[in-house]
Amino acid sequence: MQVSIDQDRCCSSGQCVVTAPEVFEQDDRDGLVRLRVSVLPPVRHADVRLASELCPGGAITVTEEGPDRATDDTGSATA
């Protein structure tokens, strides 16, 4: 799983921080979402999916890795 954020779409509601505080935080200056971690442990996947669904601005994108896809050390998909 990969997660990305679009700060241009963030409306600073904080739902992501409440749902997955280990993964998301809000910037103290502007209230926009930031990622706290670069690698998501599997135990946080459900929380991140829920945070993405609850985000009123649609600022969180979750990309699932399918069974046919693997990632290299940089996180890039390989065939």
Side-chain angles (χ1 to χ4, degrees):
M1 167 187 280
Q2 293 182 352
V3 62
S4 61
I5 54 174
D6 181 347
Q7 289 187 329
D8 291 334
R9 296 189 69 166
C10 180
C11 63
S12 304
S13 74
Q15 294 299 312
C16 56
V17 177
V18 172
T19 305
E22 302 85 358
V23 178
F24 302 103
E25 66 184 359
Q26 283 183 284
D27 189 294
D28 290 336
R29 294 167 296 172
D30 56 18
L32 298 178
V33 64
R34 294 189 326 196
L35 287 173
R36 296 185 70 179
V37 296
S38 58
V39 177
L40 293 173
V43 70
R44 299 288 171 232
H45 288 189
D47 292 341
V48 170
R49 286 185 198 101
L50 180 58
S52 177
E53 292 172 17
L54 293 175
C55 179
I60 302 169
T61 301
V62 174
T63 305
E64 303 283 350
E65 295 176 21
D68 297 346
R69 296 180 61 183
T71 56
D72 60 21
D73 291 339
T74 66
S76 299
T78 60

Short mmCIF file of all heavy atoms in Angstrom, two decimals:
data_model
loop_
_atom_site.label_atom_id
_atom_site.label_comp_id
_atom_site.label_asym_id
_atom_site.label_seq_id
_atom_site.Cartn_x
_atom_site.Cartn_y
_atom_site.Cartn_z
N MET A 1 0.84 -1.17 0.00
CA MET A 1 0.00 0.00 0.00
C MET A 1 0.89 1.24 0.00
O MET A 1 1.89 1.29 0.71
CB MET A 1 -0.90 0.03 1.25
CG MET A 1 -1.57 1.35 1.46
SD MET A 1 -2.46 1.49 3.01
CE MET A 1 -3.95 0.63 2.57
N GLN A 2 0.47 2.20 -0.79
CA GLN A 2 1.12 3.50 -0.80
C GLN A 2 0.07 4.55 -0.52
O GLN A 2 -1.10 4.40 -0.93
CB GLN A 2 1.78 3.78 -2.13
CG GLN A 2 2.96 2.88 -2.42
CD GLN A 2 3.62 3.24 -3.73
OE1 GLN A 2 3.14 4.05 -4.49
NE2 GLN A 2 4.74 2.60 -3.99
N VAL A 3 0.44 5.61 0.17
CA VAL A 3 -0.48 6.70 0.46
C VAL A 3 0.19 7.99 0.02
O VAL A 3 1.40 8.17 0.19
CB VAL A 3 -0.88 6.74 1.95
CG1 VAL A 3 0.31 6.97 2.83
CG2 VAL A 3 -1.94 7.79 2.20
N SER A 4 -0.60 8.85 -0.59
CA SER A 4 -0.10 10.16 -0.97
C SER A 4 -1.14 11.20 -0.57
O SER A 4 -2.32 10.89 -0.40
CB SER A 4 0.20 10.23 -2.47
OG SER A 4 -0.97 10.01 -3.22
N ILE A 5 -0.68 12.41 -0.39
CA ILE A 5 -1.57 13.49 -0.01
C ILE A 5 -1.43 14.64 -1.00
O ILE A 5 -0.37 14.86 -1.57
CB ILE A 5 -1.30 13.98 1.42
CG1 ILE A 5 0.16 14.37 1.60
CG2 ILE A 5 -1.70 12.94 2.44
CD1 ILE A 5 0.47 14.99 2.93
N ASP A 6 -2.53 15.34 -1.21
CA ASP A 6 -2.56 16.52 -2.07
C ASP A 6 -2.93 17.69 -1.18
O ASP A 6 -4.10 17.89 -0.85
CB ASP A 6 -3.59 16.32 -3.18
CG ASP A 6 -3.67 17.49 -4.14
OD1 ASP A 6 -3.11 18.57 -3.84
OD2 ASP A 6 -4.30 17.33 -5.20
N GLN A 7 -1.93 18.44 -0.76
CA GLN A 7 -2.19 19.54 0.16
C GLN A 7 -3.07 20.62 -0.46
O GLN A 7 -3.72 21.36 0.27
CB GLN A 7 -0.88 20.13 0.67
CG GLN A 7 -0.19 19.19 1.63
CD GLN A 7 1.02 19.80 2.28
OE1 GLN A 7 1.69 20.64 1.71
NE2 GLN A 7 1.29 19.38 3.51
N ASP A 8 -3.11 20.70 -1.78
CA ASP A 8 -4.00 21.67 -2.44
C ASP A 8 -5.47 21.32 -2.21
O ASP A 8 -6.33 22.20 -2.28
CB ASP A 8 -3.72 21.75 -3.93
CG ASP A 8 -2.36 22.38 -4.23
OD1 ASP A 8 -1.87 23.18 -3.39
OD2 ASP A 8 -1.79 22.09 -5.29
N ARG A 9 -5.76 20.06 -1.97
CA ARG A 9 -7.14 19.63 -1.73
C ARG A 9 -7.50 19.56 -0.24
O ARG A 9 -8.66 19.43 0.12
CB ARG A 9 -7.38 18.26 -2.36
CG ARG A 9 -7.25 18.31 -3.88
CD ARG A 9 -7.67 17.03 -4.50
NE ARG A 9 -9.12 16.93 -4.32
CZ ARG A 9 -9.89 16.08 -4.96
NH1 ARG A 9 -9.36 15.24 -5.80
NH2 ARG A 9 -11.17 16.03 -4.73
N CYS A 10 -6.49 19.64 0.62
CA CYS A 10 -6.71 19.53 2.06
C CYS A 10 -7.51 20.72 2.57
O CYS A 10 -7.18 21.88 2.28
CB CYS A 10 -5.36 19.45 2.78
SG CYS A 10 -5.51 19.32 4.57
N CYS A 11 -8.56 20.44 3.33
CA CYS A 11 -9.38 21.51 3.91
C CYS A 11 -9.18 21.61 5.42
O CYS A 11 -9.94 22.28 6.12
CB CYS A 11 -10.85 21.31 3.54
SG CYS A 11 -11.57 19.80 4.19
N SER A 12 -8.18 20.94 5.94
CA SER A 12 -7.76 21.03 7.34
C SER A 12 -8.82 20.57 8.34
O SER A 12 -8.89 21.07 9.45
CB SER A 12 -7.32 22.46 7.68
OG SER A 12 -6.31 22.89 6.82
N SER A 13 -9.63 19.59 7.95
CA SER A 13 -10.67 19.11 8.86
C SER A 13 -10.10 18.27 10.00
O SER A 13 -10.71 18.16 11.06
CB SER A 13 -11.73 18.31 8.11
OG SER A 13 -11.22 17.03 7.77
N GLY A 14 -8.96 17.62 9.77
CA GLY A 14 -8.32 16.83 10.82
C GLY A 14 -8.86 15.43 10.98
O GLY A 14 -8.43 14.70 11.88
N GLN A 15 -9.77 14.99 10.12
CA GLN A 15 -10.31 13.64 10.23
C GLN A 15 -9.22 12.58 10.09
O GLN A 15 -9.26 11.56 10.78
CB GLN A 15 -11.40 13.41 9.17
CG GLN A 15 -12.64 14.25 9.35
CD GLN A 15 -13.31 13.93 10.68
OE1 GLN A 15 -13.52 12.78 11.03
NE2 GLN A 15 -13.63 14.97 11.43
N CYS A 16 -8.24 12.84 9.24
CA CYS A 16 -7.16 11.88 9.05
C CYS A 16 -6.32 11.74 10.32
O CYS A 16 -5.92 10.64 10.69
CB CYS A 16 -6.29 12.28 7.87
SG CYS A 16 -5.60 13.95 7.99
N VAL A 17 -6.06 12.85 10.98
CA VAL A 17 -5.25 12.83 12.19
C VAL A 17 -5.97 12.10 13.32
O VAL A 17 -5.36 11.33 14.07
CB VAL A 17 -4.87 14.27 12.62
CG1 VAL A 17 -4.10 14.26 13.92
CG2 VAL A 17 -4.08 14.95 11.52
N VAL A 18 -7.27 12.29 13.41
CA VAL A 18 -8.06 11.60 14.43
C VAL A 18 -8.12 10.10 14.13
O VAL A 18 -8.03 9.27 15.04
CB VAL A 18 -9.49 12.20 14.50
CG1 VAL A 18 -10.38 11.37 15.40
CG2 VAL A 18 -9.43 13.64 14.98
N THR A 19 -8.23 9.75 12.86
CA THR A 19 -8.38 8.35 12.46
C THR A 19 -7.06 7.58 12.49
O THR A 19 -7.04 6.42 12.90
CB THR A 19 -8.98 8.28 11.04
OG1 THR A 19 -10.21 9.02 11.03
CG2 THR A 19 -9.25 6.86 10.61
N ALA A 20 -5.98 8.21 12.06
CA ALA A 20 -4.68 7.53 11.99
C ALA A 20 -3.57 8.48 12.43
O ALA A 20 -2.75 8.92 11.62
CB ALA A 20 -4.44 7.02 10.58
N PRO A 21 -3.52 8.80 13.73
CA PRO A 21 -2.52 9.76 14.20
C PRO A 21 -1.07 9.28 14.07
O PRO A 21 -0.15 10.09 14.08
CB PRO A 21 -2.90 9.97 15.67
CG PRO A 21 -3.65 8.74 16.06
CD PRO A 21 -4.36 8.30 14.81
N GLU A 22 -0.88 7.99 13.92
CA GLU A 22 0.47 7.46 13.73
C GLU A 22 0.98 7.74 12.32
O GLU A 22 2.17 7.66 12.06
CB GLU A 22 0.50 5.94 13.98
CG GLU A 22 0.04 5.54 15.35
CD GLU A 22 -1.48 5.38 15.45
OE1 GLU A 22 -2.19 5.62 14.46
OE2 GLU A 22 -1.95 5.05 16.55
N VAL A 23 0.05 8.04 11.40
CA VAL A 23 0.41 8.21 9.99
C VAL A 23 0.31 9.67 9.55
O VAL A 23 1.14 10.15 8.79
CB VAL A 23 -0.51 7.34 9.10
CG1 VAL A 23 -0.20 7.53 7.62
CG2 VAL A 23 -0.39 5.87 9.50
N PHE A 24 -0.70 10.40 10.04
CA PHE A 24 -0.96 11.77 9.60
C PHE A 24 -0.79 12.77 10.74
O PHE A 24 -1.03 12.44 11.90
CB PHE A 24 -2.39 11.90 9.07
CG PHE A 24 -2.71 10.97 7.93
CD1 PHE A 24 -3.45 9.82 8.15
CD2 PHE A 24 -2.26 11.23 6.65
CE1 PHE A 24 -3.75 8.96 7.11
CE2 PHE A 24 -2.55 10.37 5.60
CZ PHE A 24 -3.30 9.23 5.83
N GLU A 25 -0.40 13.98 10.37
CA GLU A 25 -0.37 15.08 11.31
C GLU A 25 -0.76 16.35 10.56
O GLU A 25 -0.77 16.38 9.33
CB GLU A 25 1.00 15.24 11.96
CG GLU A 25 2.11 15.64 11.00
CD GLU A 25 3.47 15.68 11.66
OE1 GLU A 25 3.56 15.40 12.87
OE2 GLU A 25 4.45 15.99 10.96
N GLN A 26 -1.11 17.38 11.31
CA GLN A 26 -1.45 18.66 10.71
C GLN A 26 -0.32 19.64 10.99
O GLN A 26 0.18 19.71 12.12
CB GLN A 26 -2.75 19.21 11.27
CG GLN A 26 -3.97 18.51 10.70
CD GLN A 26 -5.25 19.11 11.21
OE1 GLN A 26 -5.62 18.85 12.34
NE2 GLN A 26 -5.91 19.89 10.39
N ASP A 27 0.05 20.39 9.97
CA ASP A 27 1.08 21.40 10.11
C ASP A 27 0.58 22.49 11.06
O ASP A 27 -0.55 22.96 10.94
CB ASP A 27 1.39 21.99 8.73
CG ASP A 27 2.59 22.90 8.75
OD1 ASP A 27 2.52 23.96 9.40
OD2 ASP A 27 3.60 22.55 8.11
N ASP A 28 1.40 22.87 12.02
CA ASP A 28 1.02 23.89 13.00
C ASP A 28 0.78 25.26 12.37
O ASP A 28 0.01 26.05 12.90
CB ASP A 28 2.09 24.02 14.09
CG ASP A 28 2.14 22.81 14.99
OD1 ASP A 28 1.13 22.09 15.10
OD2 ASP A 28 3.21 22.56 15.59
N ARG A 29 1.43 25.54 11.26
CA ARG A 29 1.31 26.86 10.64
C ARG A 29 0.04 27.02 9.82
O ARG A 29 -0.64 28.02 9.92
CB ARG A 29 2.52 27.16 9.78
CG ARG A 29 3.81 27.28 10.59
CD ARG A 29 5.01 27.26 9.70
NE ARG A 29 5.00 25.92 9.08
CZ ARG A 29 5.79 25.53 8.11
NH1 ARG A 29 6.66 26.36 7.62
NH2 ARG A 29 5.74 24.30 7.63
N ASP A 30 -0.27 26.03 8.99
CA ASP A 30 -1.40 26.19 8.08
C ASP A 30 -2.49 25.14 8.25
O ASP A 30 -3.52 25.21 7.61
CB ASP A 30 -0.93 26.21 6.62
CG ASP A 30 -0.12 24.97 6.23
OD1 ASP A 30 -0.19 23.95 6.95
OD2 ASP A 30 0.59 25.03 5.22
N GLY A 31 -2.27 24.15 9.11
CA GLY A 31 -3.28 23.13 9.38
C GLY A 31 -3.40 22.06 8.33
O GLY A 31 -4.26 21.19 8.42
N LEU A 32 -2.53 22.10 7.31
CA LEU A 32 -2.61 21.11 6.24
C LEU A 32 -2.01 19.78 6.67
O LEU A 32 -1.11 19.72 7.49
CB LEU A 32 -1.90 21.63 4.99
CG LEU A 32 -2.48 22.90 4.38
CD1 LEU A 32 -1.65 23.34 3.18
CD2 LEU A 32 -3.94 22.72 4.00
N VAL A 33 -2.52 18.72 6.08
CA VAL A 33 -2.09 17.36 6.40
C VAL A 33 -0.65 17.13 5.95
O VAL A 33 -0.21 17.66 4.92
CB VAL A 33 -3.04 16.32 5.76
CG1 VAL A 33 -3.01 16.37 4.25
CG2 VAL A 33 -2.72 14.92 6.25
N ARG A 34 0.05 16.34 6.75
CA ARG A 34 1.39 15.87 6.41
C ARG A 34 1.49 14.41 6.80
O ARG A 34 0.85 13.97 7.75
CB ARG A 34 2.46 16.65 7.16
CG ARG A 34 2.55 18.10 6.77
CD ARG A 34 3.72 18.81 7.35
NE ARG A 34 4.11 18.36 8.68
CZ ARG A 34 4.90 19.03 9.49
NH1 ARG A 34 5.39 20.18 9.13
NH2 ARG A 34 5.22 18.55 10.68
N LEU A 35 2.32 13.68 6.06
CA LEU A 35 2.58 12.28 6.40
C LEU A 35 3.67 12.23 7.46
O LEU A 35 4.68 12.90 7.36
CB LEU A 35 3.04 11.50 5.18
CG LEU A 35 1.97 11.17 4.15
CD1 LEU A 35 2.60 10.53 2.92
CD2 LEU A 35 0.93 10.25 4.74
N ARG A 36 3.44 11.41 8.47
CA ARG A 36 4.44 11.23 9.55
C ARG A 36 5.40 10.11 9.23
O ARG A 36 6.49 10.05 9.79
CB ARG A 36 3.73 10.92 10.86
CG ARG A 36 2.85 12.05 11.34
CD ARG A 36 2.29 11.73 12.67
NE ARG A 36 3.43 11.78 13.61
CZ ARG A 36 3.32 11.57 14.90
NH1 ARG A 36 2.16 11.28 15.42
NH2 ARG A 36 4.37 11.64 15.68
N VAL A 37 5.00 9.18 8.38
CA VAL A 37 5.82 8.01 8.05
C VAL A 37 5.92 7.85 6.55
O VAL A 37 5.01 8.23 5.81
CB VAL A 37 5.25 6.72 8.67
CG1 VAL A 37 5.27 6.76 10.18
CG2 VAL A 37 3.85 6.44 8.17
N SER A 38 7.02 7.28 6.09
CA SER A 38 7.16 7.05 4.65
C SER A 38 6.81 5.61 4.28
O SER A 38 6.46 5.33 3.14
CB SER A 38 8.58 7.38 4.20
OG SER A 38 9.51 6.62 4.91
N VAL A 39 6.90 4.71 5.25
CA VAL A 39 6.55 3.30 5.01
C VAL A 39 5.42 2.93 5.98
O VAL A 39 5.55 3.10 7.19
CB VAL A 39 7.77 2.38 5.25
CG1 VAL A 39 7.37 0.92 5.07
CG2 VAL A 39 8.90 2.75 4.32
N LEU A 40 4.33 2.46 5.42
CA LEU A 40 3.17 2.11 6.24
C LEU A 40 3.24 0.66 6.70
O LEU A 40 3.29 -0.24 5.87
CB LEU A 40 1.88 2.29 5.45
CG LEU A 40 1.51 3.70 5.07
CD1 LEU A 40 0.30 3.67 4.15
CD2 LEU A 40 1.22 4.51 6.29
N PRO A 41 3.23 0.44 7.99
CA PRO A 41 3.16 -0.95 8.46
C PRO A 41 1.77 -1.51 8.18
O PRO A 41 0.78 -0.78 8.25
CB PRO A 41 3.44 -0.83 9.96
CG PRO A 41 3.14 0.57 10.32
CD PRO A 41 3.33 1.39 9.08
N PRO A 42 1.67 -2.78 7.86
CA PRO A 42 0.38 -3.39 7.53
C PRO A 42 -0.69 -3.17 8.60
O PRO A 42 -1.87 -3.06 8.28
CB PRO A 42 0.70 -4.87 7.37
CG PRO A 42 2.13 -4.88 6.93
CD PRO A 42 2.78 -3.73 7.67
N VAL A 43 -0.31 -3.05 9.85
CA VAL A 43 -1.28 -2.87 10.93
C VAL A 43 -2.02 -1.53 10.78
O VAL A 43 -3.10 -1.37 11.34
CB VAL A 43 -0.60 -3.01 12.30
CG1 VAL A 43 0.33 -1.84 12.58
CG2 VAL A 43 -1.61 -3.16 13.41
N ARG A 44 -1.49 -0.58 10.04
CA ARG A 44 -2.11 0.74 9.85
C ARG A 44 -2.93 0.85 8.57
O ARG A 44 -3.58 1.86 8.34
CB ARG A 44 -1.04 1.82 9.85
CG ARG A 44 -0.26 1.90 11.12
CD ARG A 44 -1.13 2.48 12.23
NE ARG A 44 -0.42 2.35 13.50
CZ ARG A 44 -0.95 1.80 14.57
NH1 ARG A 44 -2.17 1.33 14.55
NH2 ARG A 44 -0.26 1.70 15.67
N HIS A 45 -2.92 -0.16 7.72
CA HIS A 45 -3.59 -0.07 6.43
C HIS A 45 -5.08 0.23 6.55
O HIS A 45 -5.60 1.09 5.84
CB HIS A 45 -3.38 -1.35 5.62
CG HIS A 45 -1.97 -1.49 5.11
ND1 HIS A 45 -1.62 -2.47 4.21
CD2 HIS A 45 -0.83 -0.79 5.36
CE1 HIS A 45 -0.33 -2.37 3.93
NE2 HIS A 45 0.17 -1.36 4.63
N ALA A 46 -5.78 -0.44 7.44
CA ALA A 46 -7.22 -0.21 7.58
C ALA A 46 -7.50 1.22 8.04
O ALA A 46 -8.44 1.86 7.54
CB ALA A 46 -7.83 -1.21 8.56
N ASP A 47 -6.70 1.73 8.96
CA ASP A 47 -6.88 3.10 9.44
C ASP A 47 -6.66 4.11 8.31
O ASP A 47 -7.38 5.10 8.20
CB ASP A 47 -5.92 3.42 10.58
CG ASP A 47 -6.23 2.65 11.85
OD1 ASP A 47 -7.37 2.15 11.99
OD2 ASP A 47 -5.33 2.55 12.71
N VAL A 48 -5.65 3.86 7.47
CA VAL A 48 -5.36 4.77 6.37
C VAL A 48 -6.47 4.73 5.33
O VAL A 48 -6.88 5.77 4.79
CB VAL A 48 -3.98 4.45 5.76
CG1 VAL A 48 -3.76 5.23 4.48
CG2 VAL A 48 -2.88 4.76 6.77
N ARG A 49 -6.99 3.55 5.04
CA ARG A 49 -8.12 3.46 4.11
C ARG A 49 -9.31 4.25 4.64
O ARG A 49 -9.96 4.99 3.89
CB ARG A 49 -8.53 1.99 3.91
CG ARG A 49 -7.60 1.20 3.05
CD ARG A 49 -8.16 -0.21 2.81
NE ARG A 49 -7.10 -1.09 2.37
CZ ARG A 49 -6.46 -1.96 3.12
NH1 ARG A 49 -6.78 -2.11 4.41
NH2 ARG A 49 -5.51 -2.71 2.63
N LEU A 50 -9.61 4.11 5.93
CA LEU A 50 -10.73 4.84 6.52
C LEU A 50 -10.47 6.34 6.49
O LEU A 50 -11.37 7.12 6.16
CB LEU A 50 -10.96 4.37 7.96
CG LEU A 50 -12.11 5.04 8.70
CD1 LEU A 50 -13.44 4.86 7.97
CD2 LEU A 50 -12.20 4.52 10.12
N ALA A 51 -9.28 6.77 6.81
CA ALA A 51 -8.94 8.20 6.76
C ALA A 51 -9.15 8.76 5.36
O ALA A 51 -9.68 9.86 5.19
CB ALA A 51 -7.50 8.42 7.21
N SER A 52 -8.78 8.00 4.35
CA SER A 52 -8.98 8.42 2.96
C SER A 52 -10.47 8.57 2.64
O SER A 52 -10.89 9.54 2.01
CB SER A 52 -8.33 7.42 2.01
OG SER A 52 -8.57 7.77 0.67
N GLU A 53 -11.27 7.62 3.10
CA GLU A 53 -12.71 7.68 2.86
C GLU A 53 -13.37 8.84 3.59
O GLU A 53 -14.30 9.46 3.08
CB GLU A 53 -13.36 6.37 3.31
CG GLU A 53 -12.99 5.18 2.46
CD GLU A 53 -13.50 3.87 3.05
OE1 GLU A 53 -14.39 3.90 3.92
OE2 GLU A 53 -12.99 2.81 2.65
N LEU A 54 -12.87 9.17 4.79
CA LEU A 54 -13.47 10.23 5.59
C LEU A 54 -13.02 11.63 5.20
O LEU A 54 -13.65 12.61 5.59
CB LEU A 54 -13.13 10.01 7.07
CG LEU A 54 -13.73 8.77 7.73
CD1 LEU A 54 -13.20 8.63 9.16
CD2 LEU A 54 -15.25 8.86 7.73
N CYS A 55 -11.95 11.74 4.43
CA CYS A 55 -11.40 13.05 4.08
C CYS A 55 -12.39 13.84 3.22
O CYS A 55 -12.66 13.45 2.08
CB CYS A 55 -10.08 12.88 3.34
SG CYS A 55 -9.34 14.45 2.84
N PRO A 56 -12.93 14.95 3.75
CA PRO A 56 -13.93 15.71 2.98
C PRO A 56 -13.35 16.39 1.74
O PRO A 56 -14.09 16.65 0.79
CB PRO A 56 -14.45 16.74 3.98
CG PRO A 56 -13.43 16.84 5.04
CD PRO A 56 -12.71 15.52 5.07
N GLY A 57 -12.05 16.64 1.72
CA GLY A 57 -11.43 17.28 0.56
C GLY A 57 -10.90 16.30 -0.46
O GLY A 57 -10.48 16.70 -1.54
N GLY A 58 -10.91 15.01 -0.13
CA GLY A 58 -10.36 14.01 -1.05
C GLY A 58 -8.85 14.17 -1.22
O GLY A 58 -8.32 13.89 -2.30
N ALA A 59 -8.17 14.61 -0.18
CA ALA A 59 -6.74 14.89 -0.26
C ALA A 59 -5.86 13.66 -0.10
O ALA A 59 -4.66 13.74 -0.34
CB ALA A 59 -6.37 15.94 0.79
N ILE A 60 -6.43 12.55 0.32
CA ILE A 60 -5.63 11.34 0.59
C ILE A 60 -5.93 10.29 -0.48
O ILE A 60 -7.08 9.93 -0.69
CB ILE A 60 -5.96 10.78 1.98
CG1 ILE A 60 -5.69 11.83 3.05
CG2 ILE A 60 -5.16 9.50 2.24
CD1 ILE A 60 -6.22 11.47 4.42
N THR A 61 -4.88 9.82 -1.11
CA THR A 61 -5.01 8.77 -2.12
C THR A 61 -4.29 7.53 -1.64
O THR A 61 -3.12 7.59 -1.24
CB THR A 61 -4.41 9.22 -3.47
OG1 THR A 61 -5.08 10.41 -3.90
CG2 THR A 61 -4.54 8.13 -4.52
N VAL A 62 -4.99 6.42 -1.66
CA VAL A 62 -4.42 5.13 -1.28
C VAL A 62 -4.30 4.28 -2.53
O VAL A 62 -5.26 4.14 -3.28
CB VAL A 62 -5.31 4.41 -0.24
CG1 VAL A 62 -4.80 3.01 0.04
CG2 VAL A 62 -5.41 5.23 1.03
N THR A 63 -3.12 3.74 -2.76
CA THR A 63 -2.87 2.86 -3.89
C THR A 63 -2.53 1.48 -3.34
O THR A 63 -1.55 1.33 -2.61
CB THR A 63 -1.71 3.38 -4.76
OG1 THR A 63 -2.00 4.72 -5.14
CG2 THR A 63 -1.52 2.52 -5.99
N GLU A 64 -3.38 0.54 -3.65
CA GLU A 64 -3.17 -0.84 -3.20
C GLU A 64 -2.26 -1.55 -4.19
O GLU A 64 -2.36 -1.33 -5.39
CB GLU A 64 -4.50 -1.58 -3.11
CG GLU A 64 -5.51 -0.93 -2.21
CD GLU A 64 -5.26 -1.16 -0.73
OE1 GLU A 64 -4.38 -1.98 -0.38
OE2 GLU A 64 -5.93 -0.50 0.06
N GLU A 65 -1.39 -2.38 -3.67
CA GLU A 65 -0.56 -3.22 -4.52
C GLU A 65 -1.28 -4.53 -4.72
O GLU A 65 -1.65 -5.18 -3.76
CB GLU A 65 0.80 -3.45 -3.87
CG GLU A 65 1.61 -2.20 -3.74
CD GLU A 65 2.91 -2.44 -3.01
OE1 GLU A 65 3.36 -3.59 -2.96
OE2 GLU A 65 3.46 -1.47 -2.49
N GLY A 66 -1.49 -4.88 -5.97
CA GLY A 66 -2.18 -6.12 -6.28
C GLY A 66 -1.26 -7.31 -6.16
O GLY A 66 -0.04 -7.17 -6.01
N PRO A 67 -1.81 -8.51 -6.22
CA PRO A 67 -1.00 -9.72 -6.10
C PRO A 67 0.01 -9.88 -7.23
O PRO A 67 1.02 -10.55 -7.07
CB PRO A 67 -2.02 -10.86 -6.10
CG PRO A 67 -3.25 -10.28 -6.70
CD PRO A 67 -3.21 -8.80 -6.41
N ASP A 68 -0.24 -9.22 -8.39
CA ASP A 68 0.67 -9.32 -9.52
C ASP A 68 1.75 -8.25 -9.50
O ASP A 68 2.60 -8.21 -10.36
CB ASP A 68 -0.09 -9.19 -10.84
CG ASP A 68 -1.08 -10.32 -11.03
OD1 ASP A 68 -1.00 -11.32 -10.29
OD2 ASP A 68 -1.95 -10.21 -11.90
N ARG A 69 1.68 -7.36 -8.50
CA ARG A 69 2.63 -6.25 -8.46
C ARG A 69 3.53 -6.38 -7.24
O ARG A 69 3.09 -6.73 -6.16
CB ARG A 69 1.88 -4.92 -8.39
CG ARG A 69 1.06 -4.67 -9.63
CD ARG A 69 0.34 -3.38 -9.54
NE ARG A 69 1.32 -2.30 -9.40
CZ ARG A 69 0.98 -1.05 -9.24
NH1 ARG A 69 -0.27 -0.70 -9.20
NH2 ARG A 69 1.90 -0.11 -9.13
N ALA A 70 4.76 -6.09 -7.46
CA ALA A 70 5.74 -6.05 -6.37
C ALA A 70 6.38 -4.67 -6.41
O ALA A 70 6.24 -3.95 -7.39
CB ALA A 70 6.80 -7.14 -6.57
N THR A 71 7.08 -4.32 -5.38
CA THR A 71 7.78 -3.04 -5.38
C THR A 71 9.25 -3.27 -5.15
O THR A 71 9.66 -4.21 -4.47
CB THR A 71 7.25 -2.08 -4.30
OG1 THR A 71 7.35 -2.72 -3.04
CG2 THR A 71 5.79 -1.73 -4.56
N ASP A 72 10.05 -2.39 -5.75
CA ASP A 72 11.48 -2.48 -5.49
C ASP A 72 11.82 -1.67 -4.25
O ASP A 72 10.94 -1.20 -3.55
CB ASP A 72 12.28 -2.00 -6.73
CG ASP A 72 11.98 -0.55 -7.10
OD1 ASP A 72 11.51 0.21 -6.23
OD2 ASP A 72 12.27 -0.18 -8.25
N ASP A 73 13.07 -1.49 -3.95
CA ASP A 73 13.49 -0.81 -2.72
C ASP A 73 13.06 0.64 -2.67
O ASP A 73 12.98 1.24 -1.60
CB ASP A 73 15.00 -0.91 -2.54
CG ASP A 73 15.45 -2.31 -2.25
OD1 ASP A 73 14.62 -3.12 -1.79
OD2 ASP A 73 16.63 -2.61 -2.45
N THR A 74 12.76 1.26 -3.82
CA THR A 74 12.33 2.64 -3.83
C THR A 74 10.82 2.77 -3.71
O THR A 74 10.30 3.87 -3.65
CB THR A 74 12.78 3.34 -5.15
OG1 THR A 74 12.08 2.75 -6.25
CG2 THR A 74 14.27 3.27 -5.33
N GLY A 75 10.12 1.65 -3.72
CA GLY A 75 8.66 1.69 -3.65
C GLY A 75 8.00 1.75 -5.00
O GLY A 75 6.79 1.84 -5.12
N SER A 76 8.81 1.73 -6.06
CA SER A 76 8.26 1.77 -7.42
C SER A 76 7.74 0.39 -7.82
O SER A 76 8.35 -0.63 -7.48
CB SER A 76 9.33 2.22 -8.42
OG SER A 76 9.79 3.50 -8.09
N ALA A 77 6.65 0.40 -8.54
CA ALA A 77 6.07 -0.87 -8.97
C ALA A 77 6.95 -1.52 -10.02
O ALA A 77 7.53 -0.85 -10.88
CB ALA A 77 4.67 -0.65 -9.51
N THR A 78 7.05 -2.83 -9.93
CA THR A 78 7.77 -3.61 -10.93
C THR A 78 6.82 -4.68 -11.45
O THR A 78 5.91 -5.09 -10.77
CB THR A 78 9.03 -4.26 -10.33
OG1 THR A 78 8.65 -5.12 -9.26
CG2 THR A 78 10.02 -3.21 -9.86
N ALA A 79 7.06 -5.11 -12.66
CA ALA A 79 6.17 -6.13 -13.25
C ALA A 79 6.62 -7.51 -12.94
O ALA A 79 7.69 -7.83 -12.65
CB ALA A 79 6.08 -5.93 -14.76
#
